[in-house]
């Protein structure tokens, strides 16, 4: 069972903490128990663990969204040192994800840990994709800046994923293709659209 502690971190298998929960829950629910010498703590721990994990995951997603929002959009128009702002936001985002998933990996079953890791990475990439794919015009200089920073982010997230996630998600594939789009010329983009490389993953309105 994964349960919350006063410090806000996760604990698992801590007998003293579990005994504390059992004691106080039995006191509070004594009148409802069929046998005053028996208390089934499993259902309580499951609910507590699920609620704590959801709150923890929601907190991470909220912080990541806040960091991405601080970039102020990826268009770069009229913004000084925008490349540095993007780079710092990405570095902070990866550090934050590392902090949370490190805790999840130690305390959760592998399937749940991998699910949370994948959903967090997908959410991060989708936030960036929803922004970059709506920009109508990007200068060559800013395109290079975005390409460099996106590669940096992908490299760092690859280290977070390590060998745990064998297959690329759709958002991961789309993000890698966007990096290529930022670096490719118009002729190459048209060719990739016509041969299906891009049309499998993007709408025409997203590539225009």
């Amino acid at each position: 069972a994964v349960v919350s502690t006063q410090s806000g971190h996760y604990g698992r298998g801590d007998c003293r903490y579990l005994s504390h929960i059992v004691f106080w829950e039995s006191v509070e629910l004594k009148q409802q128990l069929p046998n005053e010498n028996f208390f089934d703590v499993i259902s309580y721990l499951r609910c507590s663990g699920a609620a704590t994990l959801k709150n923890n995951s929601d907190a991470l997603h909220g912080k990541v969204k806040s960091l991405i929002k601080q970039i102020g959009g990826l268009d770069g128009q009229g913004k000084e040192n925008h490349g540095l702002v993007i780079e710092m936001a990405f570095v902070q985002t990866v550090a934050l994800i590392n902090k949370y998933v490190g805790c999840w990996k130690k305390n959760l079953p592998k399937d749940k840990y991998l699910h949370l890791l994948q959903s967090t990475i997908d959410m991060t990439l989708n936030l960036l994709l929803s922004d970059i794919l709506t920009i109508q015009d990007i200068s060559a200089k800013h395109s290079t800046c975005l390409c460099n920073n996106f590669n940096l982010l992908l490299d760092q997230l690859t280290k977070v994923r390590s060998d745990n996630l064998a297959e690329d998600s759709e958002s991961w594939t789309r993000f890698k293709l966007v990096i290529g789009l930022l670096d490719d010329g118009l002729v190459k983009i048209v060719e990739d659209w016509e041969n299906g490389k891009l049309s499998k993953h993007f709408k025409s309105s997203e590539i225009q």
Side-chain angles (χ1 to χ4, degrees):
V2 181
V3 291
S4 58
T5 64
Q6 291 182 348
S7 64
H9 297 291
Y10 287 113
R12 184 173 71 171
D14 189 321
C15 295
R16 287 175 296 179
Y17 181 58
L18 296 180
S19 298
H20 173 77
I21 291 177
V22 172
F23 173 75
W24 284 109
E25 286 300 310
S26 63
V27 170
E28 294 177 3
L29 301 176
K30 185 174 181 180
Q31 301 300 322
Q32 303 176 34
L33 299 177
N35 185 331
E36 64 179 12
N37 296 318
F38 173 80
F39 177 64
D40 181 7
V41 74
I42 298 300
S43 60
Y44 172 84
L45 290 178
R46 284 176 176 167
C47 291
S48 177
T52 300
L53 184 58
K54 184 179 186 305
N55 290 339
N56 195 256
S57 177
D58 289 347
L60 171 58
H61 286 202
K63 291 175 181 178
V64 170
K65 289 178 181 178
S66 178
L67 286 171
I68 299 300
K69 187 176 181 180
Q70 288 177 19
I71 294 174
L74 296 172
D75 56 14
Q77 295 182 5
K79 300 170 184 174
E80 295 183 4
N81 301 318
H82 196 230
L84 182 60
V85 172
I86 295 173
E87 180 181 348
M88 291 304 298
F90 286 176
V91 169
Q92 292 174 33
T93 296
V94 173
L96 186 63
I97 293 174
N98 258 320
K99 178 181 178 181
Y100 273 75
V101 300
C103 181
W104 292 340
K105 189 173 184 179
K106 293 178 182 178
N107 294 288
L108 293 174
K110 186 175 181 179
D111 61 330
K112 290 191 177 298
Y113 154 69
L114 293 180
H115 173 73
L116 287 168
L117 174 59
Q118 185 69 74
S119 66
T120 300
I121 291 176
D122 286 346
M123 182 272 298
T124 303
L125 298 182
N126 283 330
L127 281 173
L128 297 170
L129 286 167
S130 64
D131 188 348
I132 191 67
L133 292 174
T134 60
I135 300 175
Q136 296 298 316
D137 186 36
I138 303 177
S139 68
K141 181 179 179 180
H142 191 57
S143 179
T144 299
C145 171
L146 290 176
C147 189
N148 291 337
N149 278 302
F150 283 4
N151 273 315
L152 171 67
L153 176 63
L154 216 56
D155 287 344
Q156 293 300 313
L157 288 178
T158 298
K159 295 176 182 178
V160 175
R161 291 181 4 145
S162 186
D163 296 326
N164 295 308
L165 299 173
E167 297 183 1
D168 291 348
S169 65
E170 178 64 10
S171 61
W172 187 273
T173 299
R174 278 163 56 87
F175 197 76
K176 289 196 296 185
L177 289 170
V178 163
I179 293 175
L181 288 171
L182 290 170
D183 198 37
D184 291 338
L186 180 59
V187 174
K188 180 67 164 57
I189 294 173
V190 172
E191 288 178 354
D192 286 344
W193 179 264
E194 291 178 345
N195 65 30
K197 181 180 179 180
L198 295 176
S199 58
K200 292 178 181 178
H201 304 284
F202 298 97
K203 300 175 182 178
S204 59
S205 58
E206 294 177 318
I207 301 299
Q208 291 177 350

